[in-house]
Amino acid sequence: NGNSNTSTIKVLDKFNYRFNIDYDDEDIKVIQYATALVSYRAALLVSICTSVLLNRMTEKEITIAVDGSVYKHHPRLKKWMVQLIKEMSPEKNVNKLDEI
């Protein structure tokens, strides 16, 4: 477990003073799974909307600027969005997807 649970444990410990809840490795895995699902769904929803707009545009070469702390700090959100946009807008060449 070790490193893969470190961030989750830090967050749980940060809020434990309010809730005083005991948790074990199984609880940590459930929390990590649920947060991964919610994060992927967020990437999917944003990518769907972005792809709809891209597919309506006539330009083939496009740069997308993204603003927001979730995009900036989430470890996998950008990777997921790049992959999803490529799948949903294959005829577009998104030359950059970066935060502003």
Side-chain angles (χ1 to χ4, degrees):
N1 301 29
N3 292 341
S4 66
N5 294 339
T6 304
S7 296
T8 306
I9 291 169
K10 281 182 184 178
V11 172
L12 289 172
D13 286 345
K14 180 179 176 182
F15 293 105
N16 198 32
Y17 75 94
R18 291 177 68 192
F19 302 114
N20 199 22
I21 298 171
D22 291 328
Y23 52 86
D24 58 16
D25 287 341
E26 188 174 322
D27 295 326
I28 290 171
K29 285 182 173 65
V30 169
I31 291 167
Q32 289 173 335
Y33 180 71
T35 55
L37 285 177
V38 170
S39 298
Y40 186 78
R41 184 172 188 265
L44 182 60
L45 290 171
V46 171
S47 298
I48 288 170
C49 295
T50 303
S51 290
V52 167
L53 293 173
L54 291 174
N55 293 338
R56 291 181 181 191
M57 297 171 68
T58 57
E59 294 85 358
K60 297 288 184 194
E61 299 279 331
I62 299 165
T63 299
I64 301 171
V66 182
D67 187 21
S69 61
V70 173
Y71 181 83
K72 183 176 183 179
H73 298 290
H74 193 284
R76 289 179 292 281
L77 195 69
K78 180 178 180 176
K79 182 181 86 170
W80 289 337
M81 287 178 61
V82 167
Q83 177 187 352
L84 289 164
I85 290 170
K86 281 182 183 179
E87 289 173 14
M88 291 184 271
S89 299
E91 67 283 353
K92 302 297 181 180
N93 182 16
V94 178
N95 53 36
K96 194 169 186 181
L97 180 66
D98 211 358
E99 68 228 35
I100 56 172

